[in-house]
Amino acid sequence: MRAARLIKMVLLLQARPSMTGAELARELEVSERTVVRDVLSLSEAGVPVYADRGRAGGYRLIGGYRTRLTGLGRSEAEALFLSGVPSALREMGLADAASAARLKVSAALLPELRDAATGAAQRFHLDAPAWYQEPETPALLPAIADAVWDDRRVRTRYLRKDTEVERELEPYGLVLKAGVWYLAARSQGDFRVYRVDRFTAVEGAATTGGGDEGDGGGRSGAARFTRDTSFDLPAFWAERAAQFARSILREEVVLRLSPHGVRQLPYVTERAAAREAIETARAAGGLDPQGRLTVTLPVESAEIAYAQLLALGPEGEVLAPSELRERLAAAARRTAALYPEPGGAGRTEPGGQRAGGGSA
């Protein structure tokens, strides 16, 4: 346990110019007194850790000291090789770089751990695209990924509905969601989300010093931006995804659900909205004597709600709006006509002919 903590301390000091005792204690989840003892142990072992005194002081490594990754255990090495997403790296044009990095890490591992890459790959695989969709790699994804890595401002043309608009963007990060790539970028001071497959052109924004604007986005003439260090891509995406889900739910449907319908609702409609509606209804005492729960569900539109709620079948009854209730009732009657009771007269075929013979 202590050996692993000492290795982590060295790696933290390699990654940052200097760290205070309080920062190290927080990262390592120990007391500052323990940090002092660990620093002394590293110094005794020959690791050149230097302590700067005073209010602005801290710990740092001197002489460009670097350590190899021989301190990795098997589980750590396997987790490291699982951290990449091969298909995503390939689409961004980083497959060769990732392969080279894996080889370097493998070379630094102890001999008995060098099968970690193969072992992890044979046990876990991420298939990002959704079912029943043929994923397509956006043609401009590699150029956008290159700009993201290089903090390079880009001029773009982007399809918004039926209109093509021009934008100058500071590309901060890429997100792969259910097989679709999104770009988080800053435009005119605001952070926004763009679908990568809607970009029709991407090129480097020229520097004010008159760089070559015709280099197709090459690095030599492209302007770079100063990244906002407080930007947190996962937190930003989670917030915007929740905002998007809420923004499209503009109508409401009142449903009476059986216990099974309550369990199924999050799987046929927007999950967060369904769960919130169920929790609200339960808190308000919405159960009737038959154990059915009446919920008010936000939906995108009556048309989309019709397609979604058909999947509930008899486990959900629409109470309002009346137009949607009548439409689902008509669908139920048509469905029932396809499955007549045994020994009945048979279903009615299109044109008024019964399946069993003569005219209706």
Side-chain angles (χ1 to χ4, degrees):
M1 180 70 178
R2 184 164 183 262
R5 188 174 71 242
L6 292 174
I7 292 169
K8 185 176 180 180
M9 178 183 287
V10 174
L11 293 176
L12 285 169
L13 292 173
Q14 280 186 187
R16 306 178 193 180
S18 177
M19 294 184 71
T20 66
E23 289 172 336
L24 283 169
R26 186 166 54 251
E27 289 280 357
L28 299 171
E29 299 180 348
V30 295
S31 68
E32 291 188 50
R33 187 184 297 272
T34 300
V35 168
V36 173
R37 289 198 299 265
D38 286 350
V39 167
L40 289 174
S41 297
L42 288 172
S43 296
E44 292 171 359
V47 178
V49 181
Y50 179 77
D52 289 317
R53 304 296 180 184
R55 294 181 60 186
Y59 297 98
R60 61 186 177 88
L61 294 173
I62 60 175
Y65 179 84
R66 308 292 293 177
T67 182
R68 288 161 62 87
L69 294 176
T70 50
L72 284 176
R74 173 167 292 279
S75 60
E76 294 167 325
E78 291 173 343
L80 178 63
F81 284 111
L82 277 175
S83 63
V85 183
S87 60
L89 292 170
R90 184 172 58 252
E91 291 181 5
M92 289 189 292
L94 297 173
D96 291 341
S99 177
R102 284 193 294 270
L103 288 173
K104 290 178 180 179
V105 172
S106 295
L109 293 173
L110 294 171
E112 61 268 25
L113 299 181
R114 289 178 185 167
D115 65 338
T118 303
Q122 292 301 321
R123 287 167 174 80
F124 299 98
H125 175 68
L126 175 63
D127 184 9
W131 288 104
Y132 314 120
Q133 294 182 9
E134 188 65 31
E136 293 185 5
T137 302
L140 295 173
L141 177 61
I144 292 173
D146 192 46
V148 168
W149 281 113
D150 205 32
D151 292 343
R152 185 158 28 88
R153 191 177 290 111
V154 291
R155 291 194 307 270
T156 68
R157 289 200 297 275
Y158 184 80
L159 285 176
R160 176 166 291 171
K161 296 183 179 179
D162 296 327
T163 305
E164 191 174 65
V165 296
E166 293 187 1
R167 292 286 184 269
E168 185 165 309
L169 304 176
E170 295 176 355
Y172 267 67
L174 286 162
V175 175
L176 178 60
K177 169 72 171 178
V180 179
W181 284 96
Y182 297 88
L183 172 68
R186 186 162 59 182
S187 175
Q188 300 177 343
D190 294 328
F191 285 101
R192 302 167 187 256
V193 175
Y194 302 85
R195 276 187 60 141
V196 173
D197 57 6
R198 292 181 183 169
F199 285 105
T200 59
V202 175
E203 58 184 14
T207 62
T208 55
D212 180 8
E213 295 191 22
D215 63 0
R219 298 188 179 192
S220 59
R224 288 177 173 79
F225 62 91
T226 301
R227 179 174 285 264
D228 182 350
T229 56
S230 67
F231 179 77
D232 183 333
L233 180 60
F236 169 79
W237 175 258
E239 179 185 353
R240 290 304 173 93
Q243 287 177 359
F244 174 76
R246 289 193 298 268
S247 69
I248 63 174
L249 304 178
R250 301 184 182 92
E251 300 183 25
E252 289 185 341
V253 170
V254 180
L255 287 169
R256 186 156 53 208
L257 301 166
S258 70
H260 182 65
V262 169
R263 292 191 295 271
Q264 288 298 111
L265 188 64
Y267 297 97
V268 301
T269 63
E270 205 283 317
R271 186 164 298 185
R275 287 176 173 166
E276 184 176 341
I278 291 168
E279 290 171 4
T280 301
R282 282 174 172 161
L287 279 175
D288 68 10
Q290 287 74 43
R292 298 175 299 180
L293 185 69
T294 299
V295 304
T296 300
L297 176 71
V299 296
E300 186 172 348
S301 67
E303 185 68 28
I304 291 175
Y306 170 76
Q308 293 174 334
L309 298 177
L310 274 175
L312 291 177
E315 309 301 333
E317 177 189 2
V318 171
L319 304 179
S322 58
E323 297 83 358
L324 180 59
R325 177 182 173 87
E326 286 302 317
R327 190 174 178 189
L328 285 165
R333 289 190 292 269
R334 292 198 305 272
T335 301
L338 298 174
Y339 301 96
E341 292 291 331
R347 71 177 186 270
T348 301
E349 299 284 4
Q353 296 294 319
R354 291 193 180 275
S359 299

